[in-house]
Amino acid sequence: MSAATMTKDPVCGMDVTQSTAAATSRYGGNAYYFCSIGCKQKFAVDPGRYLHGESPAAPSAAASQSAERCELPLVGMHCASCAGRIEKALGSAPGVVTANVNFATSRATVSFDPEATDVGALSQVVRDLGYDVIEPSSVPGEAGDEGIHAAEEQLREDEYRHQKVRFVVALVLTVPVALLAMAGHLVPALDPILNFPGRPWLELALTTPVLFWSGRGFFTGAWAAARHRVADMNTLVSLGTLSAYLYSVVATVAPWLLAGKNGIHQEHGMASPVGVYYEVAAIIVTLILMGRLLEARARSKTSGAIRALIGLQPKTARVERDGREQDIPVAEVQVGDLILVRPGEKVPVDGEVVEGGSSVDESMLTGEPMPVQKKGGDTVIGATLNRTGSFRMRATRIGKDTVLQQIVRMVQEAQGSKAPIQKLADIIAGYFVPIVICIAIATFVLWFDLAPPETRLTMALLTFVSVLIIACPCALGLATPTAIMVGTGRGAQSGILIKGGEALETAHKVTTIVLDKTGTITRGVPTVTDIVAPGVDETTLLRLAASAESGSEHPLGEAIVRSADERGLSRSPAREFDAIPGYGIEAEVEERKVLIGTSLLLRNRGIDPDEAAAHLLADEGKTPIFVALDGVFAGIIAIADPVKEGSSSAIQRFHALGLEVIMLTGDNSRTAGAIARQVGVDKVLAEVLPHGKSEEIKKLQSQGKVVAMVGDGINDAPALAQADVGIAMGSGTDVAMETADITLVRGDLNGVVSSIALSRATIANIKQNLFFAFIYNILGIPLAAGVLYPLTGWLLSPIIASLAMALSSVSVVTNALRLRGFRVERS
């Protein structure tokens, strides 16, 4: 292409030539020209997306699949507007797939293409906005999430300490300013004493350090925002306090510029040419500093669950190396290391017991207080507490792969996520500050025009300051994330792992619970209970069936094999094994054709099974397995899976919550019906093949039901994905964290009930917070603007406005902290 040839930037569509291009790239043998480096970087993430006319706004599937995720601890955010600005900048950065900024946790969660950007570049985007980031490379000594979290905690503590010093200094200086200005109103006898000629100059001397030392952060924050042509909470506070301060300085230094017709103003009852409002500026700064201190202390409690989880990890492990035992840091443990765990010690990493035995307290993982007995071959989880005996274990999972670290990571991601209910608050917060500034200016103009000439400047100034100060976007920004933080943290402490705000919000809308039978309602360990063999010896039938099932991974097949082994029956090798999904298996054993499965399978092969005997067994809640030998019906093996303790009471609790309970199973309808009657479910969907479970979920959803599917997280993956909320029943050692929206570490149905109840409590808390935040601003701003003055003569003081603003955020966080008292019921 010649220099004069015009083409289009494939990303933004701008006309560009080779001579005017800021960047070039080759793809598929062709040259492409870009108007900026940013367009080239976006093109590099996924060229096909732009070349095939796909929307640049949505990340491609390929980019999403290859994306990495990182958490950036942020420093310097003061309100929801700050969070929105950072989120917008990160979201538009080259290579970023998604970006979420959580004001409550002060963290950014970013998914990005590692080929287009990295953590350093993302951190620089944040720094360019005037904020800071704690990067892994900046953390000395400790590595990993624990080190970053420790550095973050230390920084927050230092910040809190500095804020406290600034508040104390402000308080010490503000008290005499307030006394000088207001004591004469409260105690008239003091007015002659306090009304001395140099009083405005003394107030000026006391107020100046309050504003420009203690309140310095407001002005630096407002300036940083102004440099990027935006406004935030600092802008409101700075404009309000600076207006009152500058007015007072002019009244002190050059009072004739502000004097009215009579030359005397008596607002403060002092013989001064014009009233001053130093106490307004000083008290506003002091009260807002107090509010931020209280808010910071309350917010630190909302992350208590994460701190508690991270604190569970032991620091050292006693490892056998080169024939001797030595204590080493847990970070140095390798997979395959032999580790000695003594009584009273914590298990350092995940592993398998190879020698000895003990009782282990797994309450940190499951919330279950009773210790679990461990012996050779059993799995132990890192950070659980060894109670009585000592044992040797072999490390199988270390570092970020351990169950504890997976839980910590999952909780952090959940706390960093956003619920759909938060979207409205985010949109409003984005426009909130500019709108408030416009309202404040309009208020000033109206009062300056409408108030009596001798007081119009005073009233216009006071209402202007009150409107700026009372407005609080922080309450809006904290309403949702603080409740999600506390709710997901409380759940994690009880073995309920919730993936994020969206799952939490959807769970509270659930109307129908669908329960997989095996392993969910029942124990999932089926056993052989009866053998009906009219035409062959029972032992022979069981031995041949077990031999054929040796290659099967189906739980019922494993039960047959286990029963034969318990009876000491020898198994013969099976040939030509063939599994028929949803129906059964066939194989050749000892030169005999063995067919095992459902009655439908036998009928399809022209074999007539004994349905009457099967019905009697099914009515007792047993699953009949039909066996045919050499094309002739040979007998029935009945298998029962005992109902879990607590399943019946959990289903009663579902009903108490107003939920419809449906049991979904591949078992025959008679067996399923017997189990259903035993536990009290409302409806049974039986004889559903594995691939048909998701279709049954779709049918329920088409009826307008909001469906939660409860399964084991592996076999039921399609149904879990199809459901509005997928709930995986974990076993405590193999937690299917990637499969479902909610994972229960303990395989107990009562945990499902508690997760729904926790969701409802959290969403109710969020709605309370949002209601308060909206009502506070909707009522507070008009009151501050003086709408009641024409009717009542009452005008809101800027001091009262600042107190209300300071306490509004604290009240939202305090309300969210009530969720820490949520009780999880056990069976």
Side-chain angles (χ1 to χ4, degrees):
M1 184 181 84
S2 67
T5 303
M6 188 73 69
T7 185
K8 287 187 179 294
D9 182 323
V11 174
C12 66
M14 182 180 289
D15 289 331
V16 63
T17 67
Q18 185 174 354
S19 59
T20 61
T24 61
S25 178
R26 296 197 67 82
Y27 178 77
N30 298 317
Y32 296 93
Y33 300 88
F34 305 89
C35 66
S36 69
I37 297 294
C39 283
K40 178 185 176 181
Q41 289 175 331
K42 289 181 179 179
F43 181 84
V45 173
D46 189 3
R49 177 171 131 209
Y50 298 105
L51 298 182
H52 294 96
E54 297 177 31
S55 171
S60 68
S64 300
Q65 289 172 1
S66 63
E68 291 184 4
R69 181 192 292 264
C70 71
E71 294 265 340
L72 300 177
L74 304 175
V75 181
M77 283 201 304
H78 299 293
C79 68
S81 299
C82 300
R85 188 158 67 253
I86 296 172
E87 181 173 294
K88 185 176 180 180
L90 286 172
S92 60
V96 172
V97 180
T98 59
N100 249 342
V101 175
N102 190 315
F103 175 48
T105 60
S106 293
R107 278 179 172 250
T109 305
V110 186
S111 293
F112 63 95
D113 187 328
E115 295 182 4
T117 188
D118 56 25
V119 174
L122 296 173
S123 300
Q124 192 56 47
V125 170
V126 176
R127 292 192 180 99
D128 289 344
L129 293 174
Y131 306 94
D132 203 359
V133 177
I134 302 173
E135 290 186 66
S137 58
S138 65
V139 180
E142 293 181 274
D145 292 341
E146 188 174 352
I148 295 174
H149 198 275
E152 191 178 359
E153 286 293 308
Q154 185 59 50
L155 190 143
R156 307 276 184 234
E157 282 299 320
D158 292 344
E159 191 178 359
Y160 179 83
R161 212 162 31 246
H162 293 150
Q163 273 193 338
K164 190 173 182 180
V165 171
R166 291 179 185 276
F167 166 69
V168 170
V169 171
L171 182 65
V172 169
L173 295 175
T174 298
V175 168
V177 175
L179 289 174
L180 286 171
M182 296 186 289
H185 295 293
L186 301 174
V187 184
L190 294 176
D191 190 52
I193 302 172
L194 298 176
N195 193 13
F196 53 89
R199 193 181 92 185
W201 291 96
L202 179 58
E203 290 185 25
L204 170 62
L206 292 170
T207 302
T208 300
V210 173
L211 237 67
F212 300 110
W213 188 79
S214 293
R216 178 175 178 271
F218 299 127
F219 298 102
T220 56
W223 173 245
R227 282 172 52 215
H228 293 90
R229 299 184 294 280
V230 291
D232 60 12
M233 188 71 206
N234 292 314
T235 308
L236 298 180
V237 176
S238 299
L239 283 175
T241 55
L242 205 57
S243 299
Y245 178 79
L246 291 177
Y247 174 91
S248 301
V249 169
V250 173
T252 303
V253 177
W256 59 87
L257 296 176
L258 302 175
K261 286 182 181 179
N262 300 324
I264 299 291
H265 279 200
Q266 297 293 336
E267 286 90 345
H268 283 55
M270 57 180 282
S272 171
V274 181
V276 293
Y277 295 96
Y278 291 115
E279 82 282 1
V280 171
I283 292 174
I284 286 173
V285 168
T286 304
L287 287 176
I288 294 175
L289 287 174
M290 178 194 73
R292 286 193 173 179
L293 270 184
L294 294 174
E295 179 189 320
R297 184 53 65 192
R299 279 168 61 182
S300 70
K301 294 178 182 177
T302 63
S303 59
I306 285 286
R307 286 200 301 274
L309 287 169
I310 291 176
L312 291 171
Q313 180 70 56
K315 302 296 182 186
T316 61
R318 178 162 283 261
V319 178
E320 279 190 19
R321 286 183 180 171
D322 302 325
R324 62 189 183 89
E325 296 177 358
Q326 52 183 306
D327 289 325
I328 64 171
V330 167
E332 296 179 11
V333 173
Q334 308 267 328
V335 172
D337 275 344
L338 280 177
I339 301 172
L340 174 64
V341 184
R342 293 167 294 192
E345 293 182 341
K346 286 184 178 179
V347 179
V349 295
D350 296 0
E352 181 181 306
V353 177
V354 295
E355 181 184 329
S358 179
S359 62
V360 176
D361 181 356
E362 295 184 340
S363 57
M364 55 71 59
L365 185 72
T366 64
E368 178 59 53
M370 293 298 293
V372 180
Q373 292 298 319
K374 299 291 183 180
K375 61 183 184 304
D378 287 346
T379 300
V380 286
I381 303 301
T384 53
L385 181 63
N386 181 27
R387 286 291 190 188
T388 52
S390 61
F391 58 87
R392 278 181 169 77
M393 57 172 281
R394 177 171 284 104
T396 57
R397 288 190 288 193
I398 61 174
K400 292 185 177 181
D401 295 327
T402 63
V403 169
L404 176 64
Q405 288 303 316
Q406 289 181 62
I407 291 174
V408 169
R409 187 161 59 250
M410 188 172 183
V411 174
Q412 283 180 331
E413 290 176 3
Q415 293 184 345
S417 66
K418 290 186 178 181
I421 197 174
Q422 189 178 345
K423 288 179 182 176
L424 177 61
D426 284 346
I427 292 169
I428 292 174
Y431 296 99
F432 186 85
V433 174
I435 290 173
V436 168
I437 292 174
C438 292
I439 293 173
I441 293 171
T443 300
F444 183 92
V445 171
L446 283 173
W447 280 113
F448 193 82
D449 286 343
L450 300 177
E454 64 274 11
T455 60
R456 66 183 184 182
L457 182 57
T458 299
M459 292 191 69
L461 177 70
L462 290 179
T463 51
F464 173 77
V465 173
S466 293
V467 169
L468 290 174
I469 297 303
I470 201 169
C472 187
C474 296
L476 284 172
L478 290 168
T480 301
T482 48
I484 289 176
M485 281 179 68
V486 181
T488 54
R490 183 69 190 92
Q493 291 174 327
S494 306
I496 301 169
L497 307 179
I498 302 169
K499 269 199 172 176
E502 188 170 352
L504 194 67
E505 182 173 343
T506 306
H508 99 283
K509 302 175 185 175
V510 166
T511 59
T512 303
I513 296 283
V514 178
L515 306 175
D516 179 56
K517 180 179 76 71
T518 305
T520 302
I521 294 176
T522 62
R523 292 180 184 174
V525 186
T527 56
V528 173
T529 58
D530 302 86
I531 299 175
V532 180
V536 69
D537 179 63
E538 288 184 9
T539 302
T540 302
L541 183 70
L542 180 59
R543 182 175 60 80
L544 292 173
S547 299
E549 291 280 10
S550 295
S552 172
E553 296 180 355
H554 194 283
L556 299 182
E558 290 174 350
I560 293 173
V561 172
R562 192 163 50 247
S563 178
D565 290 344
E566 288 170 357
R567 300 187 187 197
L569 303 178
S570 60
R571 285 182 274 135
S572 301
R575 296 186 301 136
E576 299 180 14
F577 176 86
D578 182 26
I580 308 162
Y583 294 97
I585 64 107
E586 60 181 337
E588 185 176 311
V589 180
E590 298 176 1
E591 298 184 355
R592 302 188 71 176
K593 295 286 186 181
V594 181
L595 184 66
I596 306 173
T598 64
S599 60
L600 180 59
L601 174 63
L602 267 66
R603 285 198 299 271
N604 287 343
R605 299 297 178 88
I607 303 169
D608 187 22
D610 185 352
E611 301 273 9
H615 290 166
L616 292 174
L617 293 167
D619 288 341
E620 297 173 4
K622 300 169 183 176
T623 302
I625 304 297
F626 297 88
V627 183
L629 299 176
D630 296 325
V632 178
F633 173 70
I636 299 173
I637 299 176
I639 298 174
D641 186 6
V643 172
K644 284 182 182 178
E645 292 179 11
S647 288
S648 182
S649 62
I651 289 168
Q652 289 177 12
R653 290 179 62 200
F654 281 133
H655 289 145
L657 291 174
L659 298 171
E660 177 188 22
V661 185
I662 297 175
M663 185 172 79
L664 180 64
T665 178
D667 219 335
N668 68 75
S669 56
R670 285 178 175 267
T671 302
I675 298 292
R677 287 190 295 274
Q678 190 175 341
V679 296
V681 299
D682 300 308
K683 184 179 178 182
V684 178
L685 300 174
E687 300 180 24
V688 180
L689 298 178
H691 63 268
K693 290 185 177 181
S694 60
E695 291 300 319
E696 294 294 339
I697 300 294
K698 282 182 185 177
K699 289 178 185 177
L700 293 171
Q701 291 170 326
S702 68
Q703 298 168 21
K705 297 176 180 178
V706 181
V707 181
M709 171 69 191
V710 185
D712 63 11
I714 301 170
N715 297 332
D716 301 307
L720 289 169
Q722 177 61 42
D724 297 287
V725 179
I727 303 177
M729 302 280 282
S731 62
T733 58
D734 184 18
V735 184
M737 295 185 181
E738 298 302 321
T739 309
D741 301 304
I742 299 174
T743 300
L744 305 178
V745 179
R746 183 167 174 249
D748 177 11
L749 265 184
N750 280 283
V752 181
V753 186
S754 295
S755 67
I756 300 296
L758 176 62
S759 167
R760 291 184 176 184
T762 304
I763 296 302
N765 191 279
I766 289 172
K767 288 179 177 178
Q768 292 164 7
N769 286 345
L770 286 173
F771 175 80
F772 172 79
F774 279 119
I775 287 297
Y776 166 79
N777 284 292
I778 288 170
L779 297 181
I781 292 174
L783 287 176
V787 294
L788 295 181
Y789 186 80
L791 301 175
T792 64
W794 182 77
L795 203 63
L796 184 69
S797 164
I799 294 171
I800 302 299
S802 63
L803 179 63
M805 191 274 276
L807 295 179
S808 62
S809 297
V810 178
S811 62
V812 165
V813 178
T814 303
N815 186 50
L817 288 173
R818 291 191 305 110
L819 288 170
R820 294 198 299 176
F822 180 84
R823 296 190 58 143
V824 175
E825 293 189 33
R826 300 293 180 191
S827 55

